[in-house]
Amino acid sequence: MMALFDEEKIMRTYVANERREAVRDAVENMLKAGKMSAEEIAGYFKELSVEEVREIEKGLLQTI
């Protein structure tokens, strides 16, 4: 029974991490397109605040 619980927990963690990665990739692509503000992008992704979108934006600007 414990092994089943551990496998379920591992799977949930994996799915959550993959979802975060997908959201971050989408935000980066939206920022690179330059057609939307951080506020507008945050409105599409309830997982992220405007500040978090701005932090992603800062990271993109540093890699240029």
Side-chain angles (χ1 to χ4, degrees):
M1 185 67 155
M2 208 49 180
L4 182 61
F5 175 74
D6 288 342
E7 286 179 27
E8 185 176 332
K9 185 177 178 181
I10 290 167
M11 183 57 80
R12 286 179 193 241
T13 301
Y14 173 78
V15 169
N17 287 337
E18 289 296 308
R19 187 172 292 150
R20 266 186 244 113
E21 284 283 325
V23 166
R24 184 175 180 86
D25 289 345
V27 168
E28 285 180 1
N29 289 335
M30 293 170 92
L31 288 167
K32 286 177 185 175
K35 296 182 180 182
M36 298 177 77
S37 68
E39 291 81 9
E40 291 171 316
I41 293 171
Y44 284 98
F45 299 100
K46 300 302 178 190
E47 302 94 335
L48 297 174
S49 67
V50 174
E51 291 79 24
E52 290 170 315
V53 174
R54 287 187 179 137
E55 285 298 316
I56 294 170
E57 186 175 33
K58 284 180 190 175
L60 286 174
L61 293 174
Q62 290 176 353
T63 59
I64 295 176

